[in-house]
Amino acid sequence: MYSDVDRDALHVSAADEAYPIGPAAPRESYLNGARLIEVAKRARCDAVHPGYGFLSEDADFARAVTDAGLVFVGPPAAVLRALGEKTAARRLAREAGVPVAEGTEPLRDVAAAREAATRIGYPVLLKPGAGGGGKGMRLVSREGDLEAAWRGSTGEAATAFGRSELYLERAVVRARHVEMQILADGHGHVVWLGERDCSIQRRHQKLIEETPGPSVDDRLRTRLADAAVRIARAAGYVNAGTVEFLVDAAAHFYFLEVNTRLQVEHPVTEMVTGLDLVALQLRIAAGEPLPFAQKDVVRRGAAIECRITAEDPYEGFLPAGGRVALVREPAGPGVRVDSALFAGMTVPTEYDPLLAKVVVHGADRAQAIARMRRALAETRIAGIPTSLPFHRHALGDPEFASGRYDTEYVATRWPPAEPSDLSDGAAVAAALVAVLASGATARRPAPPAIAGPWARAGREEALR
């Protein structure tokens, strides 16, 4: 399915069948559940996979899907309702014996937020009661910033999730953001697949994820896994999910939320476990039991993901749309690219700016870092600003290599004190000029050509 502005998107050309669902505005397309279900029935679908965002954690949509005789590939509506309302999820975690940061129930207005923040003590986080992905979250360090933060948070939450209610919790400063991947079937089995460290973020939205977490030892991993499984069992969870925590410098952890869907960063878990999480989602949704037990889960090596976004990292990661003139994606041992990119495409500004995910796997963290550095050096995207300069800096930063970073990394380590050439260089600039001068129109990608050292040399010669 696609909105008008996504008509030429890569997922449309990749699909066997593609159906338009409305204008670019999310409320008229991707957030229009009735229209989505209507199209699914017209296309004679068996099931609906909700993806990462929009309606993926919406209990009303999940209920409407099943009421229409379709299978929702995710948790039952009742579970989505219990965990999707974040303050209810916090209550459930407390009842399951999992530590939770001090916070509130849904707030009626900014005056109630001010009273709660005064009681808890600044800094605090304003957070949407629905949704996830960091959208709508605001860190408030002093009372004078609260009203503006309230306005921004309610507006962003309403746009992203169709609901604007907020709650407030104490901010855990200089923390690590660590999440635990779980799978649960409809036969009472729950397993955990390992943690992901997602601490490197801007606007509370992730930029780099890795597993294993460099700060997570076996004891902490066991405690986090036990807490995640307890929450899943208490909620009656089914399908893939992620239980998110903040971990402070003393290794005390606090429950954040449950993302009741597939995560953008699921490939790093797939790389170290060898499991296909989407295939497992479909099998669970079809009523099958998990084909393995906890003792069968084996994690090998280390994996890192960089989210390449259409943002200008030198301008506070300001989102930027426009026409992509040139794309060259990396390859080689242990490299995976999940991408929406092709030369000539137009990047819309209506949605999340994610363009591609560059993922690497290595025998250990050092090899994974080396492979990611090479992969980022090979990646070329011309025509629009991207987050590539930030990622190249971070992967070359001794602070990242040491594993000592936390959620303040972007605020304290970017931009670099010593300017360096982190851009895609003069070759891409020359190619961009040539493409723009030619007036070439957007082209959907052709099937991949045979690869090899001679092919790469030819492409580099063409760029020169």
PDB file of all heavy atoms in Angstrom, residues 432-463:
ATOM      1  N   LEU A 432      26.979  14.581  -9.072  1.00  0.00           N
ATOM      2  CA  LEU A 432      25.721  15.292  -8.855  1.00  0.00           C
ATOM      3  C   LEU A 432      25.541  16.383  -9.907  1.00  0.00           C
ATOM      4  O   LEU A 432      24.471  16.523 -10.497  1.00  0.00           O
ATOM      5  CB  LEU A 432      25.716  15.907  -7.453  1.00  0.00           C
ATOM      6  CG  LEU A 432      24.572  16.867  -7.134  1.00  0.00           C
ATOM      7  CD1 LEU A 432      23.230  16.163  -7.278  1.00  0.00           C
ATOM      8  CD2 LEU A 432      24.741  17.425  -5.724  1.00  0.00           C
ATOM      9  N   VAL A 433      26.591  17.141 -10.161  1.00  0.00           N
ATOM     10  CA  VAL A 433      26.506  18.195 -11.168  1.00  0.00           C
ATOM     11  C   VAL A 433      26.131  17.598 -12.520  1.00  0.00           C
ATOM     12  O   VAL A 433      25.278  18.113 -13.250  1.00  0.00           O
ATOM     13  CB  VAL A 433      27.842  18.960 -11.259  1.00  0.00           C
ATOM     14  CG1 VAL A 433      27.849  19.891 -12.465  1.00  0.00           C
ATOM     15  CG2 VAL A 433      28.076  19.747  -9.982  1.00  0.00           C
ATOM     16  N   ALA A 434      26.754  16.467 -12.851  1.00  0.00           N
ATOM     17  CA  ALA A 434      26.489  15.833 -14.143  1.00  0.00           C
ATOM     18  C   ALA A 434      25.043  15.361 -14.241  1.00  0.00           C
ATOM     19  O   ALA A 434      24.380  15.535 -15.263  1.00  0.00           O
ATOM     20  CB  ALA A 434      27.445  14.663 -14.352  1.00  0.00           C
ATOM     21  N   VAL A 435      24.527  14.755 -13.152  1.00  0.00           N
ATOM     22  CA  VAL A 435      23.164  14.239 -13.169  1.00  0.00           C
ATOM     23  C   VAL A 435      22.161  15.374 -13.270  1.00  0.00           C
ATOM     24  O   VAL A 435      21.210  15.327 -14.061  1.00  0.00           O
ATOM     25  CB  VAL A 435      22.885  13.382 -11.916  1.00  0.00           C
ATOM     26  CG1 VAL A 435      21.406  13.031 -11.829  1.00  0.00           C
ATOM     27  CG2 VAL A 435      23.712  12.107 -11.972  1.00  0.00           C
ATOM     28  N   LEU A 436      22.370  16.433 -12.485  1.00  0.00           N
ATOM     29  CA  LEU A 436      21.442  17.558 -12.519  1.00  0.00           C
ATOM     30  C   LEU A 436      21.466  18.244 -13.883  1.00  0.00           C
ATOM     31  O   LEU A 436      20.437  18.669 -14.403  1.00  0.00           O
ATOM     32  CB  LEU A 436      21.787  18.554 -11.416  1.00  0.00           C
ATOM     33  CG  LEU A 436      21.568  18.055  -9.980  1.00  0.00           C
ATOM     34  CD1 LEU A 436      22.002  19.122  -8.989  1.00  0.00           C
ATOM     35  CD2 LEU A 436      20.115  17.681  -9.750  1.00  0.00           C
ATOM     36  N   ALA A 437      22.661  18.335 -14.465  1.00  0.00           N
ATOM     37  CA  ALA A 437      22.773  18.978 -15.771  1.00  0.00           C
ATOM     38  C   ALA A 437      22.064  18.170 -16.848  1.00  0.00           C
ATOM     39  O   ALA A 437      21.540  18.726 -17.816  1.00  0.00           O
ATOM     40  CB  ALA A 437      24.244  19.153 -16.132  1.00  0.00           C
ATOM     41  N   SER A 438      22.032  16.842 -16.669  1.00  0.00           N
ATOM     42  CA  SER A 438      21.408  15.992 -17.677  1.00  0.00           C
ATOM     43  C   SER A 438      19.893  16.048 -17.641  1.00  0.00           C
ATOM     44  O   SER A 438      19.224  15.659 -18.601  1.00  0.00           O
ATOM     45  CB  SER A 438      21.849  14.540 -17.480  1.00  0.00           C
ATOM     46  OG  SER A 438      21.223  13.985 -16.328  1.00  0.00           O
ATOM     47  N   GLY A 439      19.325  16.507 -16.489  1.00  0.00           N
ATOM     48  CA  GLY A 439      17.878  16.546 -16.336  1.00  0.00           C
ATOM     49  C   GLY A 439      17.266  15.165 -16.279  1.00  0.00           C
ATOM     50  O   GLY A 439      16.106  14.963 -16.640  1.00  0.00           O
ATOM     51  N   ALA A 440      18.044  14.176 -15.818  1.00  0.00           N
ATOM     52  CA  ALA A 440      17.545  12.794 -15.767  1.00  0.00           C
ATOM     53  C   ALA A 440      16.347  12.693 -14.856  1.00  0.00           C
ATOM     54  O   ALA A 440      16.251  13.379 -13.840  1.00  0.00           O
ATOM     55  CB  ALA A 440      18.655  11.868 -15.277  1.00  0.00           C
ATOM     56  N   THR A 441      15.411  11.828 -15.196  1.00  0.00           N
ATOM     57  CA  THR A 441      14.214  11.607 -14.388  1.00  0.00           C
ATOM     58  C   THR A 441      14.395  10.397 -13.511  1.00  0.00           C
ATOM     59  O   THR A 441      15.307   9.589 -13.703  1.00  0.00           O
ATOM     60  CB  THR A 441      12.992  11.407 -15.288  1.00  0.00           C
ATOM     61  OG1 THR A 441      13.254  10.328 -16.186  1.00  0.00           O
ATOM     62  CG2 THR A 441      12.714  12.661 -16.097  1.00  0.00           C
ATOM     63  N   ALA A 442      13.489  10.252 -12.512  1.00  0.00           N
ATOM     64  CA  ALA A 442      13.595   9.148 -11.565  1.00  0.00           C
ATOM     65  C   ALA A 442      13.469   7.810 -12.284  1.00  0.00           C
ATOM     66  O   ALA A 442      12.649   7.636 -13.166  1.00  0.00           O
ATOM     67  CB  ALA A 442      12.502   9.272 -10.506  1.00  0.00           C
ATOM     68  N   ARG A 443      14.308   6.878 -11.893  1.00  0.00           N
ATOM     69  CA  ARG A 443      14.238   5.523 -12.446  1.00  0.00           C
ATOM     70  C   ARG A 443      14.176   4.531 -11.303  1.00  0.00           C
ATOM     71  O   ARG A 443      14.948   4.632 -10.345  1.00  0.00           O
ATOM     72  CB  ARG A 443      15.476   5.214 -13.291  1.00  0.00           C
ATOM     73  CG  ARG A 443      15.651   6.102 -14.499  1.00  0.00           C
ATOM     74  CD  ARG A 443      16.768   5.565 -15.388  1.00  0.00           C
ATOM     75  NE  ARG A 443      18.000   5.334 -14.640  1.00  0.00           N
ATOM     76  CZ  ARG A 443      18.898   6.274 -14.379  1.00  0.00           C
ATOM     77  NH1 ARG A 443      18.686   7.516 -14.783  1.00  0.00           N
ATOM     78  NH2 ARG A 443      19.996   5.983 -13.710  1.00  0.00           N
ATOM     79  N   ARG A 444      13.297   3.579 -11.423  1.00  0.00           N
ATOM     80  CA  ARG A 444      13.295   2.492 -10.450  1.00  0.00           C
ATOM     81  C   ARG A 444      14.509   1.610 -10.717  1.00  0.00           C
ATOM     82  O   ARG A 444      14.947   1.457 -11.852  1.00  0.00           O
ATOM     83  CB  ARG A 444      11.999   1.698 -10.565  1.00  0.00           C
ATOM     84  CG  ARG A 444      10.798   2.519 -10.112  1.00  0.00           C
ATOM     85  CD  ARG A 444       9.531   1.745 -10.235  1.00  0.00           C
ATOM     86  NE  ARG A 444       8.396   2.580  -9.818  1.00  0.00           N
ATOM     87  CZ  ARG A 444       7.140   2.172  -9.848  1.00  0.00           C
ATOM     88  NH1 ARG A 444       6.845   0.966 -10.262  1.00  0.00           N
ATOM     89  NH2 ARG A 444       6.176   2.963  -9.452  1.00  0.00           N
ATOM     90  N   PRO A 445      15.043   0.966  -9.678  1.00  0.00           N
ATOM     91  CA  PRO A 445      16.299   0.234  -9.821  1.00  0.00           C
ATOM     92  C   PRO A 445      16.158  -0.952 -10.766  1.00  0.00           C
ATOM     93  O   PRO A 445      15.141  -1.639 -10.776  1.00  0.00           O
ATOM     94  CB  PRO A 445      16.595  -0.245  -8.396  1.00  0.00           C
ATOM     95  CG  PRO A 445      15.654   0.475  -7.516  1.00  0.00           C
ATOM     96  CD  PRO A 445      14.517   0.953  -8.339  1.00  0.00           C
ATOM     97  N   ALA A 446      17.215  -1.190 -11.549  1.00  0.00           N
ATOM     98  CA  ALA A 446      17.273  -2.381 -12.383  1.00  0.00           C
ATOM     99  C   ALA A 446      17.739  -3.552 -11.527  1.00  0.00           C
ATOM    100  O   ALA A 446      18.272  -3.361 -10.439  1.00  0.00           O
ATOM    101  CB  ALA A 446      18.249  -2.140 -13.526  1.00  0.00           C
ATOM    102  N   PRO A 447      17.565  -4.787 -11.984  1.00  0.00           N
ATOM    103  CA  PRO A 447      18.106  -5.931 -11.241  1.00  0.00           C
ATOM    104  C   PRO A 447      19.594  -5.763 -11.043  1.00  0.00           C
ATOM    105  O   PRO A 447      20.284  -5.180 -11.890  1.00  0.00           O
ATOM    106  CB  PRO A 447      17.791  -7.122 -12.161  1.00  0.00           C
ATOM    107  CG  PRO A 447      16.651  -6.660 -13.008  1.00  0.00           C
ATOM    108  CD  PRO A 447      16.847  -5.183 -13.184  1.00  0.00           C
ATOM    109  N   PRO A 448      20.140  -6.257  -9.916  1.00  0.00           N
ATOM    110  CA  PRO A 448      21.561  -6.056  -9.629  1.00  0.00           C
ATOM    111  C   PRO A 448      22.446  -6.707 -10.680  1.00  0.00           C
ATOM    112  O   PRO A 448      22.163  -7.811 -11.143  1.00  0.00           O
ATOM    113  CB  PRO A 448      21.740  -6.704  -8.253  1.00  0.00           C
ATOM    114  CG  PRO A 448      20.598  -7.652  -8.123  1.00  0.00           C
ATOM    115  CD  PRO A 448      19.465  -7.045  -8.879  1.00  0.00           C
ATOM    116  N   ALA A 449      23.523  -6.007 -11.046  1.00  0.00           N
ATOM    117  CA  ALA A 449      24.487  -6.566 -11.983  1.00  0.00           C
ATOM    118  C   ALA A 449      25.419  -7.530 -11.266  1.00  0.00           C
ATOM    119  O   ALA A 449      25.501  -7.544 -10.039  1.00  0.00           O
ATOM    120  CB  ALA A 449      25.288  -5.428 -12.619  1.00  0.00           C
ATOM    121  N   ILE A 450      26.126  -8.354 -12.032  1.00  0.00           N
ATOM    122  CA  ILE A 450      27.110  -9.255 -11.434  1.00  0.00           C
ATOM    123  C   ILE A 450      28.182  -8.414 -10.776  1.00  0.00           C
ATOM    124  O   ILE A 450      28.687  -7.459 -11.357  1.00  0.00           O
ATOM    125  CB  ILE A 450      27.707 -10.170 -12.514  1.00  0.00           C
ATOM    126  CG1 ILE A 450      26.596 -11.050 -13.111  1.00  0.00           C
ATOM    127  CG2 ILE A 450      28.834 -11.021 -11.955  1.00  0.00           C
ATOM    128  CD1 ILE A 450      27.035 -11.849 -14.315  1.00  0.00           C
ATOM    129  N   ALA A 451      28.540  -8.789  -9.548  1.00  0.00           N
ATOM    130  CA  ALA A 451      29.502  -7.993  -8.786  1.00  0.00           C
ATOM    131  C   ALA A 451      30.875  -8.634  -8.842  1.00  0.00           C
ATOM    132  O   ALA A 451      31.022  -9.830  -9.053  1.00  0.00           O
ATOM    133  CB  ALA A 451      29.045  -7.833  -7.344  1.00  0.00           C
ATOM    134  N   GLY A 452      31.887  -7.846  -8.598  1.00  0.00           N
ATOM    135  CA  GLY A 452      33.248  -8.359  -8.541  1.00  0.00           C
ATOM    136  C   GLY A 452      34.210  -7.198  -8.500  1.00  0.00           C
ATOM    137  O   GLY A 452      33.827  -6.049  -8.716  1.00  0.00           O
ATOM    138  N   PRO A 453      35.502  -7.466  -8.237  1.00  0.00           N
ATOM    139  CA  PRO A 453      36.482  -6.370  -8.161  1.00  0.00           C
ATOM    140  C   PRO A 453      36.516  -5.553  -9.443  1.00  0.00           C
ATOM    141  O   PRO A 453      36.625  -4.338  -9.422  1.00  0.00           O
ATOM    142  CB  PRO A 453      37.804  -7.103  -7.918  1.00  0.00           C
ATOM    143  CG  PRO A 453      37.415  -8.429  -7.339  1.00  0.00           C
ATOM    144  CD  PRO A 453      36.093  -8.770  -7.946  1.00  0.00           C
ATOM    145  N   TRP A 454      36.416  -6.241 -10.620  1.00  0.00           N
ATOM    146  CA  TRP A 454      36.447  -5.514 -11.887  1.00  0.00           C
ATOM    147  C   TRP A 454      35.236  -4.600 -12.035  1.00  0.00           C
ATOM    148  O   TRP A 454      35.318  -3.519 -12.606  1.00  0.00           O
ATOM    149  CB  TRP A 454      36.521  -6.497 -13.053  1.00  0.00           C
ATOM    150  CG  TRP A 454      35.400  -7.504 -13.048  1.00  0.00           C
ATOM    151  CD1 TRP A 454      35.387  -8.718 -12.442  1.00  0.00           C
ATOM    152  CD2 TRP A 454      34.117  -7.351 -13.638  1.00  0.00           C
ATOM    153  NE1 TRP A 454      34.182  -9.347 -12.618  1.00  0.00           N
ATOM    154  CE2 TRP A 454      33.381  -8.536 -13.351  1.00  0.00           C
ATOM    155  CE3 TRP A 454      33.501  -6.341 -14.384  1.00  0.00           C
ATOM    156  CZ2 TRP A 454      32.074  -8.720 -13.788  1.00  0.00           C
ATOM    157  CZ3 TRP A 454      32.203  -6.528 -14.818  1.00  0.00           C
ATOM    158  CH2 TRP A 454      31.502  -7.711 -14.529  1.00  0.00           C
ATOM    159  N   ALA A 455      34.066  -5.069 -11.506  1.00  0.00           N
ATOM    160  CA  ALA A 455      32.850  -4.255 -11.611  1.00  0.00           C
ATOM    161  C   ALA A 455      32.975  -3.004 -10.761  1.00  0.00           C
ATOM    162  O   ALA A 455      32.596  -1.909 -11.177  1.00  0.00           O
ATOM    163  CB  ALA A 455      31.638  -5.069 -11.184  1.00  0.00           C
ATOM    164  N   ARG A 456      33.532  -3.169  -9.526  1.00  0.00           N
ATOM    165  CA  ARG A 456      33.721  -2.004  -8.661  1.00  0.00           C
ATOM    166  C   ARG A 456      34.673  -1.008  -9.304  1.00  0.00           C
ATOM    167  O   ARG A 456      34.452   0.196  -9.286  1.00  0.00           O
ATOM    168  CB  ARG A 456      34.239  -2.442  -7.292  1.00  0.00           C
ATOM    169  CG  ARG A 456      34.518  -1.260  -6.370  1.00  0.00           C
ATOM    170  CD  ARG A 456      34.901  -1.724  -4.982  1.00  0.00           C
ATOM    171  NE  ARG A 456      33.802  -2.437  -4.366  1.00  0.00           N
ATOM    172  CZ  ARG A 456      33.887  -3.074  -3.206  1.00  0.00           C
ATOM    173  NH1 ARG A 456      35.017  -3.072  -2.542  1.00  0.00           N
ATOM    174  NH2 ARG A 456      32.855  -3.701  -2.706  1.00  0.00           N
ATOM    175  N   ALA A 457      35.767  -1.535  -9.898  1.00  0.00           N
ATOM    176  CA  ALA A 457      36.733  -0.650 -10.538  1.00  0.00           C
ATOM    177  C   ALA A 457      36.076   0.134 -11.664  1.00  0.00           C
ATOM    178  O   ALA A 457      36.330   1.320 -11.855  1.00  0.00           O
ATOM    179  CB  ALA A 457      37.912  -1.469 -11.069  1.00  0.00           C
ATOM    180  N   GLY A 458      35.195  -0.535 -12.398  1.00  0.00           N
ATOM    181  CA  GLY A 458      34.495   0.144 -13.486  1.00  0.00           C
ATOM    182  C   GLY A 458      33.599   1.246 -12.979  1.00  0.00           C
ATOM    183  O   GLY A 458      33.534   2.321 -13.570  1.00  0.00           O
ATOM    184  N   ARG A 459      32.886   0.997 -11.861  1.00  0.00           N
ATOM    185  CA  ARG A 459      32.009   2.016 -11.310  1.00  0.00           C
ATOM    186  C   ARG A 459      32.822   3.219 -10.823  1.00  0.00           C
ATOM    187  O   ARG A 459      32.436   4.365 -11.023  1.00  0.00           O
ATOM    188  CB  ARG A 459      31.191   1.435 -10.148  1.00  0.00           C
ATOM    189  CG  ARG A 459      30.097   0.475 -10.608  1.00  0.00           C
ATOM    190  CD  ARG A 459      29.096   0.229  -9.498  1.00  0.00           C
ATOM    191  NE  ARG A 459      29.702  -0.364  -8.330  1.00  0.00           N
ATOM    192  CZ  ARG A 459      29.827  -1.690  -8.144  1.00  0.00           C
ATOM    193  NH1 ARG A 459      29.384  -2.516  -9.064  1.00  0.00           N
ATOM    194  NH2 ARG A 459      30.375  -2.169  -7.054  1.00  0.00           N
ATOM    195  N   GLU A 460      33.984   2.922 -10.166  1.00  0.00           N
ATOM    196  CA  GLU A 460      34.803   4.025  -9.673  1.00  0.00           C
ATOM    197  C   GLU A 460      35.372   4.834 -10.837  1.00  0.00           C
ATOM    198  O   GLU A 460      35.462   6.062 -10.771  1.00  0.00           O
ATOM    199  CB  GLU A 460      35.920   3.473  -8.790  1.00  0.00           C
ATOM    200  CG  GLU A 460      35.375   2.913  -7.459  1.00  0.00           C
ATOM    201  CD  GLU A 460      36.457   2.274  -6.623  1.00  0.00           C
ATOM    202  OE1 GLU A 460      37.571   2.060  -7.143  1.00  0.00           O
ATOM    203  OE2 GLU A 460      36.153   1.970  -5.433  1.00  0.00           O
ATOM    204  N   GLU A 461      35.737   4.137 -11.939  1.00  0.00           N
ATOM    205  CA  GLU A 461      36.227   4.847 -13.110  1.00  0.00           C
ATOM    206  C   GLU A 461      35.135   5.749 -13.686  1.00  0.00           C
ATOM    207  O   GLU A 461      35.391   6.898 -14.085  1.00  0.00           O
ATOM    208  CB  GLU A 461      36.711   3.849 -14.167  1.00  0.00           C
ATOM    209  CG  GLU A 461      37.245   4.487 -15.431  1.00  0.00           C
ATOM    210  CD  GLU A 461      38.472   5.342 -15.167  1.00  0.00           C
ATOM    211  OE1 GLU A 461      39.242   5.038 -14.221  1.00  0.00           O
ATOM    212  OE2 GLU A 461      38.664   6.332 -15.894  1.00  0.00           O
ATOM    213  N   ALA A 462      33.887   5.237 -13.698  1.00  0.00           N
ATOM    214  CA  ALA A 462      32.789   6.034 -14.212  1.00  0.00           C
ATOM    215  C   ALA A 462      32.565   7.275 -13.356  1.00  0.00           C
ATOM    216  O   ALA A 462      32.292   8.358 -13.875  1.00  0.00           O
ATOM    217  CB  ALA A 462      31.514   5.184 -14.248  1.00  0.00           C
ATOM    218  N   LEU A 463      32.697   7.114 -12.027  1.00  0.00           N
ATOM    219  CA  LEU A 463      32.536   8.269 -11.142  1.00  0.00           C
ATOM    220  C   LEU A 463      33.627   9.303 -11.406  1.00  0.00           C
ATOM    221  O   LEU A 463      33.387  10.498 -11.439  1.00  0.00           O
ATOM    222  CB  LEU A 463      32.579   7.818  -9.677  1.00  0.00           C
ATOM    223  CG  LEU A 463      31.284   7.241  -9.128  1.00  0.00           C
ATOM    224  CD1 LEU A 463      31.532   6.744  -7.720  1.00  0.00           C
ATOM    225  CD2 LEU A 463      30.189   8.277  -9.123  1.00  0.00           C
TER     226      LEU A 463
END
